[in-house]
Amino acid sequence: MSSQAPESKVIPQESPLESQSPPIARNRFPLQRFLLLSAGAILLLSGFAIAAKEQTSQTPEPASNRAIAILPVQTTRIEPVTSYQVSRSYTGEVASLRASELGFERGGKLMAIAVDEGDWVGVGQELAYLDTSNLQARQQELLAGRDRSVAQLREMEAGPRVEAIAAARANRDRARAQLEELQAGARSEDIAAARAQQNSALAQLQELQAGPRSENIDGARAALNNIEEQLKLARLQRDRRQILYSEGAISREQLDQLDTEVRALQARLDEANSQLDELLAGTRPESIAAARARLDEADSRLEELLAGTRPERIAAARASLDQAQSQLDELLAGTRQETIAAARALVQQQEASIASVKIDIEKSVLTAPFSGIISARRLDEGTVVSQGQAILRLVEQKAVEVRIGIPASAISQLPIGSKWPIKIGEESYLARVASILPELDSSTRTQTAILILDSAVLGTVAPGQTARLELSQGIPTVGYWLPTAALVQGERGLWSCYALAEIAEAEATETIRAIKAKNPSTQIYIVEQRDLEVLYANGDRVLVRGTIQAGDSIVTGGAQRVVPGQLVRRATESFEF
C-alpha cells in the first residue's frame, strides 16, 4: 500500500535585521540607514554565493557511474487453493455400556446389604434385602381368608347336605309348634307349675331373710368337732406307721394310705369350718337379692299365663316360623348361580391380593440386572428407604464406550462401523463407531458419537476418564499458502509480504541494462509490498489472501533485509557484476 507524503507549506520569514532592529524614523539619520541597508545586501549576496557553491559540490553522479546493490532472496511461486484442512480435537468421556443406580421398587427398612464396593456380581445375584415381616403376616391372613372362601364355594357348588335340610326342617317345626302354643293360650298345668315355682321362690326368700337356725349352727359345730377328732386319730396312726416304715416293718403303700386319709380329713375339716363361718355370719345380701329376683320372675311368669299370650309374641313367633320356612325352602332349592359366581369372584380377588403380596416380597430382594462391579454403596443397614432411592451403583465391565460431542458439520466424517484412534491419557486406542445420537445437545450444540473400545482395554481404562478424538475438516475458501517467514509487519497491525515485480524495459536504467547484458539468464526484480489477511495458521505456514495473485513470486528468505522498491534477484540464479 502506497502512502502519500503530507503536503508542506512554506511560511515566509522576516529578515533577521528587520525583525531585530528597532524602528527608526524615516526622516532621521538617512546616512546610517543607507549604510545598514547596503551592508545587509552585501551579506545576503555572500550567503547565496556560498550556498550555490556547496550545492554544486554535492550533485550526484550519473547512474552509470555508481554501483547498484542487488540482493539475492529466496522466493516461492504461489498457487491458489480452494480449501484447507483443519485438525480439531474433540473431547469426550469414557463410560461403561451400562451403569445403573439400583434401588427397591417399594419402600421399607433396609435389613442387609450382601455386597460392598469393588465386588464383582453376576446377573440375578441378590444384593440387598428389605424387612418383610409385615408382608408375610399379611400373606398368611390372605391365605386363611382364601381357604375359607374356597371351602364355602365348594360347599355351594356341592349343594345343601341332608343334615342341613333336616336341621332346617326341625327348626321350622319347632317354630310352628311355638306359634301354635302361643295361639292356643296357657294350659292349666302350665299355670299350676308357674304357681308352684312362685311358692318355692317365696319360701326360699323367707328362709334367707330369717337367717340360719340355731339347730343348724349346733349341727355344723358338732360335725366340725367330729371331723377334728377323726383327724387327730389319723395323724397318730400315721406317725406310728412312719416309725414302723423306717424300721422296715410295713410297706410304703400302707404308709401312703394313712397319708391320703389325713389329707382327706383335713379337706373335710376346712369345708366344715367354712360352713360354720357362713352360718355364724348370716345370710349375705346378694343371696337375698338373688332369691327376690327369682320370686319376681316367677310372679311375672304366672301373671303372663293368667293374662294370656300377648299379640306381639304371637307376631314374633310367626316371623320366626316364616324365617325358618324360608331357610328350608332355600336349602331345598339349592344355591343360586349368582351366589356361586359371587363366591368364585371373591376367591379370585383374594388370590390376586395374595399374588400382589408375593410380588412385594420378591421386590424386597434387590438383584443385579446385569454382571458388573459395585462402584458405590450409598446406604447402610437400618436405613428406611423410599421407593426408587439409590442404594448401590452397578457398572458393567463387559465393554467400554466413549461418548464424544461432534459438531453437526463434522459428524458425517464418522460413518457407522468405522474405526478411529482415541487418545485416553497418554495412550491411544482404536475404537469403533457404534452409533450417532440424532439430537443436538442443547448446551454444547453438538451430536454425540458413541464409540466402542475393544474389550482388551478393560482394566487399563476406567469410566470417567477424558478421551480425545482428532478429526480433519475441510474448510472451503480461496487463498494461498505461504511460509511464516514470508510475513512482515504491515501498517495498522496488518500483515504483508514482499512480491517480486518485473522491471519494464522503459523504466530500466543504463546500469540495470548493463547488468542484464552481463547476466542474460538472471532476472532483476523490484520489491513490492502486498497487504494480506491471514485465514489460518498451521505450524510454519499460513493461509492468506489479499493483493497477491496466482503465479506471484513471494520473498520467503531474507525478507527482513529488503524494503519496498529495492532491486533483488533470486538466490538460485548465478550473478556477476
Side-chain angles (χ1 to χ4, degrees), residues 401-536:
E401 67 180 16
V402 177
R403 291 174 172 258
I404 300 178
I406 307 294
S409 59
I411 200 68
S412 60
Q413 300 184 45
L414 300 176
I416 303 299
S418 60
K419 294 186 178 182
W420 296 83
I422 301 293
K423 190 172 184 181
I424 303 174
E426 299 299 328
E427 300 294 332
S428 183
Y429 305 94
L430 198 62
R432 175 179 55 84
V433 179
S435 61
I436 305 293
L437 300 187
E439 296 181 349
L440 287 177
D441 188 279
S442 59
S443 58
T444 62
R445 307 305 299 172
T446 59
Q447 284 184 264
T448 301
I450 301 177
L451 299 93
I452 305 298
L453 293 172
D454 190 77
S455 58
V457 304
L458 292 175
T460 60
V461 174
Q465 284 187 279
T466 301
R468 292 179 176 84
L469 171 63
E470 297 284 342
L471 286 181
S472 295
Q473 184 178 0
I475 306 298
T477 187
V478 177
Y480 304 90
W481 285 106
L482 287 179
T484 55
L487 296 179
V488 294
Q489 190 70 35
E491 296 181 358
R492 295 187 297 274
L494 299 178
W495 291 101
S496 302
C497 70
Y498 293 139
L500 303 186
E502 296 182 358
I503 303 175
E505 187 65 26
E507 298 177 358
T509 63
E510 294 181 0
T511 304
I512 293 175
R513 292 191 185 98
I515 294 174
K516 285 184 177 181
K518 193 173 183 179
N519 300 276
S521 61
T522 301
Q523 182 69 33
I524 298 176
Y525 304 91
I526 188 170
V527 175
E528 293 182 354
Q529 185 173 356
R530 307 285 178 84
D531 293 332
L532 301 176
E533 176 187 359
V534 177
L535 301 176
Y536 174 69

Side-chain angles (χ1 to χ4, degrees), residues 300-458:
S300 176
R301 172 65 177 168
L302 179 59
E303 291 176 359
E304 183 178 353
L305 291 175
L306 294 175
T309 306
R310 291 180 297 176
E312 54 269 22
R313 292 193 61 190
I314 295 175
R318 184 176 289 108
S320 298
L321 176 60
D322 293 340
Q323 183 179 4
Q325 184 64 47
S326 177
Q327 292 177 352
L328 177 59
D329 295 340
E330 184 176 352
L331 290 174
L332 293 175
T335 307
R336 293 183 300 174
Q337 292 300 320
E338 307 89 75
T339 306
I340 296 176
R344 187 177 290 112
L346 177 60
V347 171
Q348 293 175 353
Q349 180 182 1
Q350 292 172 334
E351 289 179 347
S353 299
I354 294 171
S356 177
V357 172
K358 183 179 179 182
I359 292 174
D360 287 340
I361 292 176
E362 293 174 353
K363 289 181 179 180
S364 299
V365 179
L366 184 62
T367 58
F370 52 84
S371 300
I373 293 179
I374 303 297
S375 64
R377 176 171 168 168
R378 309 292 189 196
L379 301 173
D380 291 322
E381 294 85 350
T383 305
V384 177
V385 300
S386 59
Q387 181 180 0
Q389 184 176 358
I391 297 177
L392 299 170
R393 178 174 175 81
L394 178 62
V395 178
E396 188 178 33
Q397 290 293 305
K398 186 176 181 181
V400 179
E401 67 180 16
V402 177
R403 291 174 172 258
I404 300 178
I406 307 294
S409 59
I411 200 68
S412 60
Q413 300 184 45
L414 300 176
I416 303 299
S418 60
K419 294 186 178 182
W420 296 83
I422 301 293
K423 190 172 184 181
I424 303 174
E426 299 299 328
E427 300 294 332
S428 183
Y429 305 94
L430 198 62
R432 175 179 55 84
V433 179
S435 61
I436 305 293
L437 300 187
E439 296 181 349
L440 287 177
D441 188 279
S442 59
S443 58
T444 62
R445 307 305 299 172
T446 59
Q447 284 184 264
T448 301
I450 301 177
L451 299 93
I452 305 298
L453 293 172
D454 190 77
S455 58
V457 304
L458 292 175

Side-chain angles (χ1 to χ4, degrees), residues 1 18 35 262 268 324 383 459 576:
M1 178 181 294
E18 294 178 354
L35 292 176
V262 168
R268 289 175 59 191
T383 305
E576 183 180 354

Side-chain angles (χ1 to χ4, degrees), residues 46-74:
S46 299
F48 285 140
I50 295 172
K53 184 177 182 180
E54 289 180 355
Q55 184 176 1
T56 303
S57 63
Q58 293 180 359
T59 301
E61 297 180 358
S64 59
N65 297 330
R66 60 187 176 89
I68 300 177
I70 301 177
L71 295 178
V73 294
Q74 295 179 355

Side-chain angles (χ1 to χ4, degrees), residues 114-141:
V115 294
D116 208 343
E117 294 179 350
D119 291 348
W120 186 93
V121 297
V123 59
Q125 181 175 339
E126 296 182 354
L127 307 178
Y129 308 90
L130 288 180
D131 182 16
T132 59
S133 56
N134 58 336
L135 291 176
Q136 291 175 352
R138 174 64 177 165
Q139 186 182 38
Q140 294 298 324
E141 179 184 357

